[in-house]
């Protein structure tokens, strides 16, 4: 199965074009989401995400800024390795940024500063933001949409996290990233099935170990009684129990209960073994005390 981030960004970059107002909102989100520095009369947007500028270029031609030569403002490093820069005049930057928060705007902002992480346990969607204004705008939008999230200051920036499964799917659907949403749903189901299977295996393994340990202890007690010629002196129900264990060393308590001349439940077998073990411990402790006294 492909990596989630590969599917995500392929879908994000190659998404369809909307009407002009939505395209402009997405452009605004991208521009606001990318880290920006001000120099003289210019705003310098810099990012390692070349694909974000590819998406911005694709929708730029379907906005009110289409007559502006987008490529003239771009600076792509040699061999396309390193930070790509978009150097916009301040008035153009101000015109593009600051659109009202919407799903199209959020899609753009996610491209600029969002990510999905898939660690061993769970997964989460994160926005890493450099300025207070964008942080407030984004958290307000999430609150309006009823999407649970957390926000914190982290290493000189703000980090907004969404960890709830349904909330992440809602975000992806709102940003029209349906393929990614389906893949995440599929991965979550597979992970859940694997987790339940592992829990069941661990539980079964633990039960087997306990059963073997109990059988080993019961076999030890049975052999003690056999060597001391005390088996025939036991009450019939306990004698049958000892003989069943000697004849079937690896049987479970439930199986032992069904082997007896008069079948009984697992809990009854367990009760009788505890009673027998207490009796044997008392018997051999008394013998040891008598030996020492003599």
């Amino acid at each position: 199965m492909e990596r989630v981030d590969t599917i995500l960004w392929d879908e994000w970059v190659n998404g369809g074009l909307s009407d002009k107002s939505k395209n402009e909102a997405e452009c605004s989100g991208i521009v606001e989401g990318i880290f920006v520095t001000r120099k003289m009369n210019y705003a310098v947007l810099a990012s390692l995400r070349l694909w974000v500028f590819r998406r911005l270029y694709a929708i730029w031609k379907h906005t009110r800024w289409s007559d502006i030569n987008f490529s003239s403002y771009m600076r792509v490093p040699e061999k396309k390795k390193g930070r790509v820069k978009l150097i916009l005049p301040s008035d153009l930057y101000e015109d593009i940024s600051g659109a009202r928060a919407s799903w199209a705007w959020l899609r753009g902002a996610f491209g600029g500063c969002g990510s999905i992480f898939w660690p061993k346990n769970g997964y989460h969607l994160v926005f890493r933001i450099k300025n207070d204004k964008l942080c407030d705008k984004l958290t307000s939008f999430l609150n309006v949409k009823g999407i649970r999230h957390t926000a914190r200051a982290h290493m000189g920036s703000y980090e907004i996290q969404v960890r709830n499964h349904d909330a992440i799917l809602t975000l992806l659907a709102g940003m029209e990233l349906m393929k990614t949403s389906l893949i995440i749903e599929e991965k979550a189901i597979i992970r859940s099935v694997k987790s339940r299977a592992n829990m069941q295996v661990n539980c079964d393994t633990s039960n087997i170990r306990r059963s073997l340990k109990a059988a080993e202890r019961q076999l030890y007690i049975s052999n003690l009684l056999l060597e001391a010629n005390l088996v025939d002196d036991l009450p019939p129900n306990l004698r049958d129990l000892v003989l069943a264990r000697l004849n079937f060393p690896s049987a479970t308590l439930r199986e032992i209960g069904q082997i007896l001349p008069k079948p009984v439940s697992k809990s009854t077998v367990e009760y009788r073994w505890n009673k027998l073990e207490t009796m044997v411990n008392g018997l051999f402790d008394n013998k040891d005390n008598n030996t020492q006294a003599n």
Side-chain angles (χ1 to χ4, degrees):
M1 187 180 290
E2 290 184 80
R3 287 169 54 93
V4 174
D5 53 353
T6 301
I7 296 168
L8 166 65
W9 294 120
D10 281 348
E11 185 177 20
W12 187 85
V13 171
N14 298 311
L17 298 172
S18 301
D19 58 61
K20 183 178 288 188
S21 63
K22 287 185 178 180
N23 290 335
E24 290 173 359
E26 186 174 345
C27 277
S28 179
I30 292 173
V31 168
E32 288 188 68
I34 298 174
F35 177 67
V36 62
T37 55
R38 299 296 187 113
K39 292 186 178 181
M40 300 294 289
N41 296 322
Y42 291 91
V44 181
L45 289 74
S47 175
L48 293 170
R49 299 179 172 185
L50 178 59
W51 68 84
V52 174
F53 296 96
R54 191 179 303 127
R55 174 65 180 175
L56 183 58
Y57 176 74
I59 59 178
W60 184 276
K61 295 178 289 185
H62 302 274
T63 65
R64 68 174 184 270
W65 309 294
S66 58
D67 58 335
I68 298 174
N69 186 356
F70 178 86
S71 300
S72 66
Y73 294 122
M74 279 194 67
R75 303 292 183 270
V76 180
E78 189 178 352
K79 297 182 180 180
K80 298 180 180 180
K81 293 183 178 179
R83 292 186 180 276
V84 181
K85 293 182 180 179
L86 184 64
I87 304 173
L88 298 175
S90 293
D91 57 347
L92 179 57
Y93 174 77
E94 295 297 338
D95 186 30
I96 296 171
S97 62
R100 183 179 62 84
S102 63
W103 283 117
W105 173 86
L106 184 71
R107 178 189 170 96
F110 180 76
C113 61
S115 299
I116 288 182
F117 294 95
W118 192 275
K120 290 183 178 180
N121 296 316
Y123 58 96
H124 51 279
L125 186 149
V126 178
F127 294 89
R128 290 201 172 99
I129 301 166
K130 292 293 184 180
N131 64 79
D132 299 352
K133 184 179 178 181
L134 179 57
C135 182
D136 292 341
K137 186 175 181 178
L138 183 53
T139 54
S140 295
F141 180 77
L142 296 178
N143 286 333
V144 168
K145 298 300 180 182
I147 296 171
R148 289 188 294 168
H149 61 279
T150 59
R152 62 168 183 162
H154 180 67
M155 299 179 66
S157 61
Y158 298 95
E159 190 172 270
I160 298 173
Q161 291 192 10
V162 180
R163 290 181 174 272
N164 179 268
H165 175 76
D166 292 336
I168 291 174
L169 295 183
T170 298
L171 279 176
L172 293 174
M175 294 187 289
E176 299 182 1
L177 300 172
M178 298 308 299
K179 182 178 179 181
T180 304
S181 176
L182 291 173
I183 292 296
I184 285 181
E185 188 76 73
E186 181 182 352
K187 277 183 168 287
I189 291 171
I190 292 172
R191 175 175 282 181
S192 176
V193 170
K194 285 183 177 179
S195 177
R196 286 200 298 270
N198 288 335
M199 288 177 62
Q200 185 63 49
V201 169
N202 291 337
C203 182
D204 290 344
T205 301
S206 179
N207 288 337
I208 290 170
R209 286 175 181 166
R210 283 199 298 269
S211 295
L212 290 176
K213 188 175 180 180
E216 183 180 0
R217 176 64 179 168
Q218 293 159 12
L219 195 59
Y220 171 74
I221 292 172
S222 299
N223 282 319
L224 277 181
L225 292 169
L226 188 63
E227 290 170 4
N229 295 317
L230 296 175
V231 174
D232 291 336
D233 297 333
L234 294 172
N237 60 343
L238 299 183
R239 182 176 66 248
D240 292 340
L241 199 61
V242 170
L243 294 175
R245 176 53 73 196
L246 289 169
N247 290 326
F248 301 93
S250 61
T252 64
L253 294 181
R254 182 173 284 104
E255 290 168 344
I256 289 290
Q258 298 305 306
I259 292 167
L260 296 174
K262 293 182 179 180
V264 295
S265 66
K266 174 185 172 182
S267 60
T268 301
V269 173
E270 191 170 17
Y271 169 76
R272 290 180 182 177
W273 269 116
N274 290 336
K275 183 177 179 180
L276 182 60
E277 186 169 355
T278 301
M279 183 188 304
V280 170
N281 287 338
L283 177 64
F284 283 93
D285 284 346
N286 290 335
K287 281 192 174 183
D288 290 340
N289 292 335
N290 293 335
T291 302
Q292 291 175 5
N294 293 332

